[in-house]
Amino acid sequence: MSLVELIARADERGLAASGMACLDRCVPLLGGDDETLRPLWGSLAEDAAEEEWAERLEQIRGKLDAVHEADGTRGAEAAALAYRMLATAPAERSTAVLREWAHACSFTALRIHRLLDGGAPDEDVTDAIEAAREGRTEGLPLSPLGAAELRRQTTVLEVLAGHGPAGLRRALEVSTEGRRVLVAALSRRNRRDG
């Protein structure tokens, strides 16, 4: 099943986790670390109260806003894209709103990984990213980082579809691995540019 199909079939928890996992892998661009989104992951547990999502999202926004602005990275293309994922995260956990956010985060995370893999900031890769999300990857200019991100997004949705709340731990592991890959890519890029 393609990524687009998986998002179309995902339930509320799967959609929230899908969007959050994309953001989580990109959170180092905003000055975050392995623990930054952990409270938000906890709000998706089976025994979590419904209002926990909105409360924790607001707390995380406050922390990352302060770090992001103080860091001065707001003008960087990849950081600006990551910030948009955070800014557009819905406080309301309804399926329709979360599905739209999950789609946007999926596309944005793939765009960020393309940029970090040497893509030009103004390069239009919209068609290539959409084709990849629809499962049409043959002959596409998909970068190694982008291909790995596509696999991670798919894995998160498959795990949650197959295991429900019990799949959250595995989804978090996939995101942690992806975050470390992104940090390594950032380090390589900084060495190359610096």
Side-chain angles (χ1 to χ4, degrees), residues 23-37:
L23 174 59
D24 199 6
R25 287 188 293 277
C26 297
V27 83
L29 292 163
L30 303 176
D33 59 23
D34 286 0
E35 299 301 315
T36 302
L37 294 187

Side-chain angles (χ1 to χ4, degrees), residues 95-120:
T95 304
V97 174
L98 286 169
R99 192 174 321 281
E100 186 178 329
W101 183 62
H103 273 299
C105 288
S106 167
F107 181 91
T108 301
L110 287 165
R111 178 74 180 120
I112 287 169
H113 283 76
R114 172 72 181 153
L115 284 169
L116 295 178
D117 221 7

Side-chain angles (χ1 to χ4, degrees), residues 170-182:
R170 176 67 185 131
L172 180 57
E173 288 169 2
V174 170
S175 284
T176 300
E177 173 199 347
R179 190 180 327 106
R180 292 181 180 148
V181 168
L182 183 135

Side-chain angles (χ1 to χ4, degrees), residues 121-134:
D122 58 353
E123 179 185 14
D124 187 5
V125 292
T126 301
D127 291 343
I129 289 174
E130 283 306 332
R133 286 173 14 94
E134 291 167 5

Side-chain angles (χ1 to χ4, degrees), residues 30 63-74:
L30 303 176
K63 287 178 189 171
L64 287 178
D65 276 350
V67 172
H68 184 56
E69 288 172 12
D71 199 327
T73 58
R74 191 169 222 131

Side-chain angles (χ1 to χ4, degrees), residues 4 18 24 74 85 115 184 187:
V4 168
S18 174
D24 199 6
R74 191 169 222 131
M85 281 194 277
L115 284 169
S187 178

